[in-house]
Amino acid sequence: MAEQTQWLSDFAERCLFNSDIEQKLVLTHQARQLLDNGLLSLQTAGATLPISNTVFPTRPELLMPRDMPKRRLDSNEGKAAFFHALAHIEFVAIYLAWDIIYRFRGLPDDFYRDWLIIADEEAQHFELIRKHLLGLGFDYGDLPAHRGLWSHAEDTAHDILARLAIVPRCMEARGLDVTPGMMDKLNTIDDQPGVAILTRIYNDEVGHVERGSYWFNVLAKQRGLQPEHCFKDLILNYFKGKPKGPFNREVRIIAGFSNNEIDWLEERLHE
């Protein structure tokens, strides 16, 4: 008996509006497997629930970034806090990937395929960090986390170009700038498993940002907009300030940024 095709939108709803962490991970991997086996319908159907309906676990406690305790890597607790913060970023990234699939309708199949693959990779990243965190005597949710990343999704829930500019091309691209320095710090304290995890995440995130850049450029041109100008306008309108440098030019170019865009980001550091 042939297996029945399932709907991507059903998986998206079950992941976004359910707080169960384990179920979210299982469903994300299951959707990716169905995709690989040609058993997943990629177009979404039905009305979308507002982004305010998204359900997160009751733990960790979410604080504003300014209220987060400072962390140092020279103690087990400090290292656990560092990896807990990373785990939270990757956990929210699962939501971000599912939300862009769920919220923005009528896009090409390849768009949804790209973001499902990203959701699956973010889930893998979370699982890798969580395992490392458990080895330090902590689990995800044991420490507070910041809510800053998801607020950018809420701000851009109405416009796919704004979402692509602010989430993959601003917030995630920041990881391309700072992760090499984080790996250096872990090398200093000889946390080689931690370095391996960050290396894997870093390599995958280059691809995630590149997909964000690709679809931003495609969709901006479809609207008759000049992508570089559109990116600058959206950053100024939605980021409420400027991304901080220094910027990893070489890797950002691989991830789909133009030299003009990076020049503009760097110029504004000196204004």
Side-chain angles (χ1 to χ4, degrees):
M1 180 174 168
E3 288 189 66
Q4 186 175 3
T5 298
Q6 298 190 52
W7 290 86
L8 180 60
S9 52
D10 290 342
F11 281 92
E13 284 201 1
R14 291 161 71 191
C15 286
L16 289 169
F17 307 111
N18 185 330
S19 65
D20 188 291
I21 294 174
E22 305 302 336
Q23 185 179 17
K24 202 179 311 293
L25 299 170
V26 168
L27 286 169
T28 301
H29 296 322
Q30 184 183 357
R32 170 68 186 276
Q33 188 169 24
L34 288 168
L35 174 72
D36 292 344
N37 292 334
L39 295 169
L40 191 67
S41 173
L42 292 169
Q43 285 300 317
T44 48
T48 57
L49 294 169
I51 197 167
S52 58
N53 285 30
T54 308
V55 179
F56 287 90
T58 55
R59 298 169 70 239
E61 177 189 7
L62 297 180
L63 305 175
M64 293 304 292
R66 64 176 177 272
D67 298 325
M68 288 291 294
K70 301 297 181 187
R71 52 185 184 269
R72 294 178 51 165
L73 286 172
D74 55 3
S75 69
N76 187 71
E77 291 76 13
K79 193 157 72 166
F82 172 81
F83 280 103
H84 190 277
L86 290 181
H88 182 65
I89 290 169
E90 297 300 326
F91 185 69
V92 175
I94 303 169
Y95 276 86
L96 291 169
W98 276 117
D99 189 75
I100 204 170
I101 289 167
Y102 174 78
R103 195 152 306 285
F104 301 104
R105 304 294 173 91
L107 296 168
D109 277 1
D110 281 346
F111 177 90
Y112 300 112
R113 183 178 292 108
D114 284 345
W115 250 270
L116 175 52
I117 290 169
I118 289 170
D120 183 59
E121 290 178 350
E122 303 291 17
Q124 293 176 49
H125 298 168
F126 173 75
E127 289 164 331
L128 287 169
I129 298 169
R130 190 182 191 186
K131 182 178 179 182
H132 194 56
L133 190 59
L134 287 166
L136 298 170
F138 293 81
D139 195 3
Y140 177 63
D142 288 349
L143 300 170
H146 71 78
R147 60 163 282 108
L149 191 54
W150 187 249
S151 68
H152 291 293
E154 295 169 330
D155 292 343
T156 58
H158 63 290
D159 182 4
I160 183 61
L161 286 182
R163 174 66 64 87
L164 290 168
I166 298 301
V167 176
R169 301 202 84 221
C170 184
M171 303 308 296
E172 291 187 76
R174 185 71 186 129
L176 306 184
D177 303 326
V178 302
T179 303
M182 292 158 57
M183 289 190 281
D184 288 343
K185 289 181 180 178
L186 292 179
N187 267 315
T188 300
I189 61 170
D190 199 29
D191 182 357
Q192 296 311 312
V195 172
I197 292 168
L198 259 63
T199 301
R200 158 73 194 280
I201 292 172
Y202 181 66
N203 291 335
D204 286 348
E205 294 293 346
V206 175
H208 299 178
V209 177
E210 186 278 329
R211 289 291 83 194
S213 296
Y214 172 82
W215 286 109
F216 180 84
N217 290 333
V218 166
L219 297 175
K221 289 173 184 174
Q222 281 184 4
R223 292 189 191 179
L225 301 171
Q226 205 287 331
E228 289 180 358
H229 294 159
C230 183
F231 175 70
K232 295 172 187 178
D233 288 343
L234 290 168
I235 292 294
L236 291 174
N237 287 336
Y238 286 92
F239 192 69
K240 301 178 179 68
K242 301 302 299 180
K244 295 179 179 178
F247 302 99
N248 189 339
R249 181 178 291 265
E250 181 181 356
V251 175
R252 279 180 177 252
I253 293 292
I254 295 169
F257 281 81
S258 69
N259 274 306
N260 285 339
E261 288 172 329
I262 303 170
D263 288 344
W264 176 77
L265 290 169
E266 291 181 335
E267 281 167 17
R268 299 194 64 85
L269 294 176
H270 307 302
E271 290 182 9

